[in-house]
Every structure is written in C-alpha cells, then in structure tokens.
Amino acid sequence: SLTEESSTLLQVIKTGKPIFNQTQVYVNIHGVRIDTINTTLPIFVKGDMVGAVEIAKDFSRMKLLAERLLDLQKGLFKSNSKKRVKQVKYTLNDIRTINPDFIHTKAEAKKLAKSDAPILVYGESGTGKELVVQGIHHESHRSDGPFVAQNCAAIPETLLESILFGTAKGSYTGAVDRKGLFELADGGTLFLDELHTMPVELQAKLLRVLEDGMIRRVGSSQNSSVNVRVIAAMNVHPQLALQEKKIRHDLYYRLNVFTFSLLPLRERREDIVYLTDFFIQEFNRLLSKNIQGIEKNLEIFLTGYQWPGNVRELKHTLEYMMNVCEGNLLRFD
C-alpha cells in the first residue's frame, strides 16, 4: 500500500538521510491496517550507500484503544450535555482529613477553583492528586463542562501529540480528521497527569496553547481556538523536575499561577487513625461486615509506619485486612 513518497525506507534510500520516530500507516499482506513509529537509517559500506534498515514499533493496538477511548468520551460528553450530568466522581468534600494544613489546602482549592488560570498539583503517588483536581473542576464554573484526564506517561511520545491535539486528514498516510483531547475538553477542564513525562518538544506546543488558547492538529495548517482550563500534576518535586530538565522553565512558570503541594501521609499522622476508621466503615458497608475497630498494638504500628504509598496504600491494606478478618477487630497479626 506504500509508494515511493510514503515509504520511509524508500525515502531514506533516495535521500541518504536518516528519519527518526516517523509515524507511518500501511496495509499489510493480510489487508490489516498497521500503525507504526519508524526509525530508518541508511547503510553505508566504504562510503557507498547500499541500502537502509528500519526499526518499526507497532502501536496499532494502542492507537485503536486510544481512538476508541476518544470516541467514547466524545459520545459521553454529548450525552451528558443533554442530561446535565456531572463529569466527575469526586468533590473536595470527598477528601477526608483532620490535618490543619490539608484543611487549608482544601479551602484554597475551593476558592481558587473559580478562576480560569492553570493549576499545578504536586504530590507523591497516592496522596489524592486526582481527587483534588476533580474537586476543583466540580467547584468551578466549568462543572457542567467536560472533564478530560490523560496520564502523559501512558501514551508513546508520537501518539501523545495526536491524542492531545488531534490529526488532520492527509498529515501522514492513513491519517483522518480527528479531534484531540483539547477539543473534547472545550468549555471544561483538561487534567494532564505526570506532566514531567511529556516530551520537552511537546511541552513547547502545550505552552503555546496556554498562552493564546489556539491549537493546531497534527499535519494541519489551520489554527482553532479552544476554551480549556489546564490542570497539571506531577509526582516528583517541581524543582527536581526543573533541575533534571524534565519540564521546561517557561512552561513551569506559566502553570505555576496556582500550585498545590499535597502532604504525604507520614507528614499528617493524625489522619492515619482518622482515615482507618473511615475506611473500616466504608468497607463494612461494601463487604457487609461489622468490624468495630482496630487493636491498640495495630494502631501503634499503623501510626509508626512510613506509608510510601500514602492514602492509597492505607486503603488497600485495610481492604485486604477487612476481607480476611474473622473477628470484629482488626488485629496486628
């Protein structure tokens, strides 16, 4: 299905110049459409080019799943816009804490949710970043608009750009006109998790959107305007990400209008017993159990443990204990 113009191998043989990370679509011998990311290198022997070698990473399955997800989200937003259904599962009230600093963070989030400025949320894995982000969307004037979340680490670099910004027909062989997440999130919130894993080149394109609200689909010469609030999250400290050049300085300062740093569980130990009681009641309801609480020596252990996985680890630990407990108290053993 390829021609001299669309074949990366033939292009390299013709020009003698390498091609790196080029998207290609072709139909194989069985009539199946294949999406690949190709790196193609010319082969020289004693100064003469004798051929080319190509390394092609097949991401057909991943692209199909990503496009299906986009289509499902697109259909969901259309359906929900008619029913006025909320786009998020959690509100700020779902964030349980008795820690004064975290209570202050919740109050700040509620107040700043009314703005359209971008937000950066930093916290270790399991501290509740997505709960805070969903809560901000819920409290904002965009709460009836779409809430779109994308983990930047979950999608290959070349595919991520087309997922975010969409594609124009003919931008590469087999490309079709397709909306990206920015267009799907128009009028709402786009949550970009693990922003520090986004390629630096793509961060530059994201910065341009934050500056002027204009996007351009991959392969298109046309710009279009979107009204999207961007909230980004990282599970590494922003200063460390800057030092290691995982995030552009200009993008960081553009996102850093409002910043929330979520405390790890080990720095709000009063929440450990409080959350333990809350999760016990929740799992009593879900599992039809009647656990009354925890033994004192277990309380001592839980409050002394460092909880590297934070609230998520505590919740899953208690879920396991609730499933295997045979008495009415959770015990150390």
Side-chain angles (χ1 to χ4, degrees):
S1 65
L2 297 173
T3 65
E4 285 192 26
E5 288 72 31
S6 60
S7 167
T8 44
L9 269 170
L10 293 178
Q11 284 180 41
V12 169
I13 288 174
K14 183 177 180 180
T15 64
K17 298 178 180 178
I19 295 175
F20 298 98
N21 297 321
Q22 172 71 49
T23 303
Q24 187 176 72
V25 182
Y26 64 90
V27 178
N28 69 11
I29 195 171
H30 305 293
V32 178
R33 173 185 159 128
I34 305 295
D35 293 86
T36 60
I37 299 173
N38 300 348
T39 290
T40 315
L41 307 171
I43 300 173
F44 290 95
V45 177
K46 297 180 180 179
D48 295 325
M49 188 175 65
V50 297
V53 60
E54 183 163 271
I55 303 165
K57 183 174 182 180
D58 185 342
F59 65 96
S60 306
R61 178 79 176 158
M62 182 174 286
K63 185 176 182 185
L64 177 63
L65 292 173
E67 289 179 348
R68 282 181 180 172
L69 181 60
L70 283 173
D71 291 338
L72 286 170
Q73 287 179 323
K74 185 178 179 181
L76 179 67
F77 299 151
K78 283 183 178 178
S79 173
N80 284 353
S81 64
K82 296 174 183 176
K83 300 176 184 177
R84 312 303 288 178
V85 176
K86 297 292 183 184
Q87 296 284 346
V88 294
K89 181 180 179 182
Y90 299 105
T91 71
L92 291 174
N93 292 331
D94 292 311
I95 303 171
R96 309 284 175 166
T97 182
I98 56 173
N99 176 271
D101 291 333
F102 215 134
I103 291 172
H104 177 71
T105 297
K106 285 176 59 177
E108 280 286 292
K110 187 169 186 176
K111 181 168 62 175
L112 299 178
K114 309 304 180 185
S115 168
D116 277 333
I119 288 177
L120 181 63
V121 181
Y122 157 69
E124 295 177 8
S125 180
T127 51
K129 294 187 292 295
E130 183 151 4
L131 268 71
V132 171
V133 172
Q134 288 196 22
I136 290 171
H137 174 78
H138 179 266
E139 292 289 338
S140 75
H141 64 85
R142 298 172 178 269
S143 58
D144 288 328
F147 176 84
V148 180
Q150 177 62 56
N151 187 313
C152 298
I155 303 290
E157 176 180 336
T158 306
L159 184 55
L160 181 60
E161 183 177 6
S162 61
I163 290 294
L164 287 175
F165 298 101
T167 55
K169 187 175 182 180
S171 57
Y172 56 86
T173 305
V176 297
D177 282 317
R178 181 177 289 276
K179 287 184 177 182
L181 294 182
F182 270 102
E183 290 177 85
L184 287 180
D186 194 22
T189 302
L190 177 59
F191 172 42
L192 298 176
D193 199 5
E194 298 196 57
L195 179 72
H196 56 286
T197 65
M198 178 184 288
V200 174
E201 298 78 12
L202 195 51
Q203 290 181 25
K205 195 168 182 178
L206 173 60
L207 178 63
R208 288 197 295 273
V209 181
L210 293 174
E211 292 289 354
D212 57 19
M214 303 297 290
I215 66 161
R216 181 182 295 180
R217 292 184 183 181
V218 175
S220 174
S221 58
Q222 302 284 327
N223 289 333
S224 59
S225 175
V226 290
N227 176 20
V228 176
R229 184 185 203 176
V230 174
I231 304 181
M234 298 193 295
N235 56 21
V236 301
H237 196 284
Q239 292 302 322
L240 181 62
L242 286 169
Q243 289 173 16
E244 296 181 351
K245 297 183 178 179
K246 291 182 177 179
I247 184 170
R248 292 171 58 108
H249 281 78
D250 49 6
L251 177 61
Y252 169 70
Y253 295 123
R254 185 67 186 89
L255 285 170
N256 199 28
V257 178
F258 301 135
T259 301
F260 295 99
S261 180
L262 306 188
L263 290 173
L265 190 55
R266 63 182 175 274
E267 293 182 16
R268 48 186 179 110
R269 292 192 180 274
E270 64 270 46
D271 277 347
I272 295 173
V273 174
Y274 171 73
L275 289 170
T276 296
D277 292 337
F278 172 76
F279 288 135
I280 286 174
Q281 296 307 313
E282 187 177 71
F283 288 124
N284 272 337
R285 179 176 55 83
L286 293 173
L287 303 173
S288 300
K289 294 251 185 176
N290 188 30
I291 303 298
Q292 299 300 307
I294 64 175
E295 288 184 340
K296 188 63 181 178
N297 58 344
L298 175 58
E299 180 182 328
I300 293 171
F301 171 76
L302 294 179
T303 53
Y305 181 63
Q306 290 300 300
W307 298 108
N310 294 293
V311 179
R312 182 186 291 119
E313 183 184 6
L314 174 64
K315 181 178 181 180
H316 292 166
T317 299
L318 290 166
E319 182 178 11
Y320 165 77
M321 296 173 74
M322 293 283 289
N323 273 281
V324 300
C325 180
E326 295 179 354
N328 61 0
L329 283 179
L330 298 183
R331 303 187 305 276
F332 178 77
D333 60 350

